[in-house]
Amino acid sequence: MINRIKELTEQLNQHNYNYYILDNPTISDYEFDKLLEELTRLEQEYPQFAQPDSPTQRVGGEITKQFVTVPHVFPMLSLGNTYSIEEISEFDKRVQNALLQKAEYVCELKYDGVAISLVYEKGRLLRAVTRGDGVQGDDVTQNVKTIKSIPLKLFGDYPDFLEVRGEIVLPHKAFEKLNLEREDIGEQPFANPRNAASGSLKLQDSSEVAKRGLDCRLYLVLGESLPFKTHFESFTKLKEWGFKTPETVQKCSSIEEIRSFISQWDKEREQLSFDIDGVVIKVNDILQQQQLGATAKNPRWAIAYKFKAQRVATKLLSVDFQIGRTGVVTPVANLQPVLLAGTVVKRASLHNYDIIQQLDIHENDWLYVEKGGEIIPKIVGVELSKRQEYTEKVSFISHCPFCNSLLIKKEGEAATYCPNESGCPPQMKGKLEHFISRKAMNIDSLGEGKIEMLFDNGLVKTSADFYHLKTESLLGLEKKIVGDDSTERIISFREKTVENMLAGIEQSKEVPFERVLFAIGIRYVGETTAKKVASYFKTIDAIANASKEELKAVDDVGEQVAESIVQFFNTVENLETIIKLRETGVQLELNEEDHQLLSHVLEGKSIVVSGVFSISRDAMKQKIELHGGKNVSSISKNTNFVIAGENMGPEKRKKAEKLGVQILSEIEFENIIK
Ligand code: IVH
């Protein structure tokens, strides 16, 4: 069996390389998935034979509770940087003066993400560490292993020890998708792809990281007696060893060539699929690099030219306050339209109360709008010389502009909320839009402005009302819709439209419980959390009756999410909607198959799992459930036993011993359920 596991590991790694690095797949996605399925199955059956470079790690599953700090083999220096070509010229003079032979340069892009050090031993990815303070950083190996363009196993004549450095970036498409998802569950969107990449790298659940779509651009190779003499050649070697190398690296032997590389990418950077914030200029010859050496902070053989953020001043016309589905208030500046980096900017988010305070914006001010690495323009300051006399400071509203409720801002949180969840029109409409959305109940026959129409005509107030709609009340309803570009469209409910709508609503009764749980719109409960909570508790009643502590036993659920779930089920209006949904036949529990227990051996037992197991912690908890046990998050005198994996926290062990709670190993546990 071990041979088949090894063979599949190798084959799949090769296919991964063909697909992600060479861009030249030799098997179909279907065939690839079949092989991966086989390997996953075999590894589950024979975990002792799983290879350290197994491609199954790409989908994640490992949970890192706390990232361990590890020292760097070579310190991670940063680059001196400049915004002027003159200073690049001075850098060149310094370099040439210090060397006996003329230096040639390599120009490459300055990727705007998070620096990473990848350590390979005997061709296997051993460790991935963040920059940290340059001397030591966080071990984020499990998360980095999910990035498909980073090889887990090298090919060819690689050295025994190799360190490759690069930048983890989040491409624009993945960034936009992630932010839409976050807004959808009432979480603050990330300000830019760099922050999103950094946040993703620090997630505890690597299967979540796998879904984020991170990528990596490489820029430096370190080690001893490496088989190349120049930085440029190092990329050829990297490619041979199985790395994805950048195609934009260029040799330059004069300031003129450097200047033209910079101006080319200053223009073309908008067409890239990820953010860059400048260009890096490096001495090509590695011996020359060594002769030049480094200061305490920066190498003397490289410099970064940073692009100036593109910025214009424009006049503030007014500030709107928008209310999202979860009640978060977002101030939006309406601006005199202005051209910035190729697009006309008319509106820009002012994010929240604190930002308006910091910027100290007054009515009619001239504001600076900037588009730097980020794709969304942001307001970065005020041109005070143009401020008119006696203008009032822009104030944040105290009451909701739509329902007049007093707004709430919690200590330590940036967001301001309208608390009137069930009576504030934009929140109600937002919740309905969310309910029917693709990942929720997927009723696409209700899209395109229909919700607005149903809501404005008083036909639907909560999601349960969809299920009571009748043909007679819908036929003939009409509405004029004005698009962003001022084009007008009339939508009217004709027979066919109504028929489709009602059929779509009817069909949604088949949507499985986990998606219904996502659809009902509990703040902070996204698609994945909903799935985990549903499979753990099985029924909506069990969730509604669960305490905060019980909810926290689910891997994905922390204090904030648990609090939000409890609050949701403590609200009368939400309970009423759920009662009505139940009457209509919407799935409010997992179906029979998912319900069935494998045995009752753990019935009535409260169990705590701690540490790392041969399967993911989620899978472990599911096993407990399937045998009738109950997972709890912390050890108390009511705990029946603790299952201890590798690296069980010493505090937990002490507590269990003190309370006399039995500690079982994974094998002992397996024997019990057998
Ligand atoms: S070389 C010893 N090349 O910019 C020199 N860095 O302040 C190591 N970066 O921390 C850096 N693109 O995270 C280099 N093409 C590139 C880069 C790059 C982005 C980042 C890197 C570094 C920071 C420099």
Side-chain angles (χ1 to χ4, degrees), residues 371-636:
K371 218 170 171 188
E374 297 90 23
I375 29 185
I376 305 162
K378 64 175 180 192
I379 291 173
V380 289
V382 179
E383 175 52 65
L384 288 175
S385 70
K386 288 198 179 178
R387 176 166 288 169
Q388 294 165 9
E389 274 181 72
Y390 313 117
T391 48
E392 297 254 342
K393 218 173 143 156
V394 168
S395 56
F396 206 89
I397 44 172
S398 58
H399 288 76
C400 174
F402 300 93
C403 71
N404 211 28
S405 304
L406 185 65
L407 301 178
I408 292 174
K409 186 173 185 305
K410 284 194 196 144
E411 186 96 24
E413 273 187 35
T416 307
Y417 292 98
C418 166
N420 184 11
E421 278 191 45
S422 48
C424 174
Q427 288 191 63
M428 293 166 77
K429 272 191 243 178
K431 285 188 171 67
L432 295 172
E433 296 280 2
H434 170 75
F435 186 80
I436 65 141
S437 64
R438 200 171 49 81
K439 287 182 177 165
M441 304 302 275
N442 192 21
I443 316 178
D444 60 358
S445 56
L446 280 177
E448 293 192 20
K450 295 199 187 73
I451 297 272
E452 180 120 28
M453 210 159 144
L454 295 174
F455 185 84
D456 293 348
N457 282 289
L459 292 173
V460 174
K461 287 195 172 66
T462 75
S463 54
D465 298 335
F466 286 128
Y467 298 89
H468 296 290
L469 287 172
K470 296 269 171 327
T471 313
E472 311 82 78
S473 45
L474 294 171
L475 271 180
L477 283 183
E478 253 184 21
K479 185 178 168 124
K480 200 193 292 176
I481 294 194
V482 185
D484 254 2
D485 51 357
S486 310
T487 51
E488 287 181 7
R489 243 170 1 108
I490 298 216
I491 55 169
S492 79
F493 287 173
R494 294 175 209 285
E495 225 161 284
K496 192 76 201 150
T497 320
V498 171
E499 208 176 285
N500 282 342
M501 276 165 61
L502 295 181
I505 294 169
E506 190 58 30
Q507 248 173 30
S508 74
K509 293 180 184 169
E510 302 298 317
V511 166
F513 173 47
E514 61 203 43
R515 277 175 42 206
V516 179
L517 187 60
F518 171 59
I520 58 175
I522 307 173
R523 179 176 294 153
Y524 307 127
V525 176
E527 220 190 330
T528 316
T529 309
K531 222 182 242 172
K532 291 190 176 170
V533 174
S535 84
Y536 187 94
F537 285 100
K538 313 270 187 291
T539 71
I540 197 129
D541 294 338
I543 302 171
N545 290 326
S547 68
K548 227 160 72 174
E549 275 314 305
E550 286 168 332
L551 287 163
K552 275 158 69 179
V554 183
D555 257 346
D556 234 27
V557 178
E559 179 68 24
Q560 193 186 35
V561 180
E563 169 89 49
S564 167
I565 298 176
V566 168
Q567 205 182 331
F568 182 92
F569 289 104
N570 274 341
T571 309
V572 178
E573 288 86 354
N574 293 335
L575 294 178
E576 278 172 5
T577 303
I578 286 165
I579 291 170
K580 284 192 204 153
L581 281 175
R582 194 193 306 275
E583 284 163 9
T584 65
V586 165
Q587 308 287 317
L588 293 178
E589 48 189 69
L590 289 186
N591 64 28
E592 285 293 305
E593 267 168 49
D594 298 323
H595 243 339
Q596 272 170 17
L597 292 185
L598 295 177
S599 83
H600 294 269
V601 285
L602 301 177
E603 206 155 83
K605 301 269 186 280
S606 289
I607 301 166
V608 173
V609 294
S610 177
V612 181
F613 302 96
S614 65
I615 52 174
S616 78
R617 282 162 63 96
D618 260 342
M620 196 68 184
K621 287 182 176 175
Q622 217 159 20
K623 253 191 199 176
I624 293 173
E625 291 271 304
L626 284 171
H627 292 274
K630 189 171 155 192
N631 288 286
V632 283
S633 62
S634 54
I635 302 171
S636 72

Side-chain angles (χ1 to χ4, degrees), residues 266-326:
D266 198 359
K267 282 193 214 98
E268 288 178 21
R269 67 173 150 141
E270 277 166 36
Q271 279 139 41
L272 289 168
S273 59
F274 52 90
D275 279 351
I276 60 170
D277 59 347
V279 159
V280 181
I281 301 120
K282 297 175 180 171
V283 168
N284 191 20
D285 188 291
I286 291 169
L287 257 181
Q288 286 185 333
Q289 288 183 0
Q290 283 161 2
Q291 283 161 12
L292 287 160
T295 67
K297 278 201 259 160
N298 309 319
R300 291 198 189 88
W301 48 266
I303 191 164
Y305 175 92
K306 298 250 279 191
F307 296 137
K308 286 183 203 74
Q310 286 154 303
R311 154 191 298 213
V312 282
T314 188
K315 198 172 168 192
L316 173 69
L317 301 177
S318 61
V319 177
D320 287 341
F321 291 87
Q322 294 179 344
I323 310 275
R325 139 173 108 79
T326 52

Side-chain angles (χ1 to χ4, degrees), residues 42-177:
L42 288 176
E43 284 181 356
Q44 265 164 10
E45 228 171 297
Y46 306 95
Q48 68 275 30
F49 296 148
Q51 301 295 296
D53 55 337
S54 168
T56 55
Q57 298 169 88
R58 300 292 198 190
V59 292
E62 293 281 331
I63 307 285
T64 314
K65 274 287 176 213
Q66 208 166 11
F67 296 100
V68 179
T69 307
V70 288
H72 292 296
V73 180
F74 305 98
M76 279 182 96
L77 301 180
S78 61
L79 293 169
N81 61 47
T82 173
Y83 288 90
S84 92
I85 286 282
E86 285 68 45
E87 286 187 20
I88 299 288
S89 225
E90 282 162 24
F91 161 79
D92 173 46
K93 280 191 196 118
R94 277 199 307 275
V95 166
Q96 306 293 4
N97 280 339
L99 295 171
L100 295 172
Q101 263 162 355
K102 190 175 181 314
E104 180 190 45
Y105 297 101
V106 169
C107 284
E108 55 194 58
L109 304 181
K110 186 169 187 310
Y111 314 107
D112 196 8
V114 188
I116 195 81
S117 143
L118 306 169
V119 174
Y120 289 82
E121 259 181 32
K122 299 208 170 10
R124 284 211 161 111
L125 175 62
L126 179 73
R127 224 177 300 120
V129 186
T130 62
R131 181 171 185 281
D133 61 4
V135 177
Q136 50 183 20
D138 287 336
D139 183 334
V140 288
T141 314
Q142 289 310 331
N143 287 348
V144 166
K145 279 185 172 174
T146 67
I147 302 174
K148 302 213 179 64
S149 58
I150 295 181
L152 303 176
K153 174 86 178 74
L154 306 182
F155 303 113
D157 62 343
Y158 49 78
D160 268 1
F161 175 90
L162 180 72
E163 178 171 347
V164 183
R165 292 201 181 153
E167 199 87 351
I168 308 259
V169 295
L170 189 68
H172 294 150
K173 267 202 186 136
F175 171 68
E176 278 159 24
K177 178 169 164 271

